[in-house]
Amino acid sequence: MNTAEIVTLYDYNYWATQRILRAARGLTETEFLAPTALSWGSVRDVLAHTLSAEWIWRTRCQEGRSPAALLDPAEFPTLDALVERWTVEEQAMRAYVASLDSATLAQPIAYRSTGGRSLSNTLWHILVHVVNHGTQHRAEVAHVLTSYGHSPGDIDMILFARELDAGQPA
């Protein structure tokens, strides 16, 4: 795995996330906060979990610090509050992944789980996991958004790649 490949994965990650967040703007506050059958509860809670995962993994990998807990969804009472924090995290993650080289990507990263367990994984495996994790939760939220009449449209990586290959803004 090289830096350009990781950067492309994160470009896709944020392209897809922006589609979800734009579609979520159509939700009422009640819909945004309503309990659902999703893995983490409401649309807000799943999005907060996804943001939390990005933040916690970047913190572990870049700063060598293992937060003991995910972000509290209650910190994000509105979509605007969530988007504001995600914008900051996206900038930090993009800068981090752009700074990596192939040798660094191949190194193991030691960290502690939120439960305190000592673990280690190769950096590029972690970074790909973060994107894959986001894909899972975006798909869940996309389903609910569609059921509320606010489909984000297709969020497949191949569509992002086609835009990229065609020289269109992704």
Side-chain angles (χ1 to χ4, degrees), residues 117-133:
R117 188 170 160 216
S118 292
L119 298 164
S120 178
N121 293 98
T122 303
L123 177 56
W124 79 263
H125 294 173
I126 292 170
L127 294 173
V128 170
H129 161 72
V130 172
V131 173
N132 191 55
H133 176 266

Side-chain angles (χ1 to χ4, degrees), residues 3-61:
T3 304
E5 292 164 340
I6 288 290
V7 167
T8 299
L9 285 174
Y10 277 83
D11 287 345
Y12 160 70
N13 187 60
Y14 292 117
W15 172 89
T17 296
Q18 287 305 313
R19 285 182 170 226
I20 295 294
L21 295 174
R22 276 194 304 275
R25 292 228 175 264
L27 298 178
T28 65
E29 181 180 343
T30 300
E31 291 168 335
F32 183 62
L33 300 173
T36 67
L38 296 174
S39 59
W40 288 86
S42 68
V43 167
R44 186 266 320 259
D45 292 357
V46 175
L47 292 173
H49 169 74
T50 307
L51 166 60
S52 290
E54 290 183 18
W55 164 74
I56 207 165
W57 282 112
R58 184 189 54 76
T59 302
R60 287 170 177 161
C61 296

Side-chain angles (χ1 to χ4, degrees), residues 44-112:
R44 186 266 320 259
D45 292 357
V46 175
L47 292 173
H49 169 74
T50 307
L51 166 60
S52 290
E54 290 183 18
W55 164 74
I56 207 165
W57 282 112
R58 184 189 54 76
T59 302
R60 287 170 177 161
C61 296
Q62 182 180 30
E63 300 175 16
R65 198 170 49 82
S66 293
L70 297 171
L71 300 171
D72 183 351
E75 292 180 47
F76 311 107
T78 65
L79 180 60
D80 286 339
L82 186 73
V83 168
E84 183 178 323
R85 175 65 187 270
W86 217 321
T87 300
V88 170
E89 184 55 37
E90 176 182 345
Q91 291 169 349
M93 182 67 90
R94 284 181 179 278
Y96 173 59
V97 298
S99 75
L100 300 170
D101 59 31
S102 295
T104 304
L105 287 165
Q107 292 179 349
I109 299 293
Y111 60 93
R112 289 196 178 278

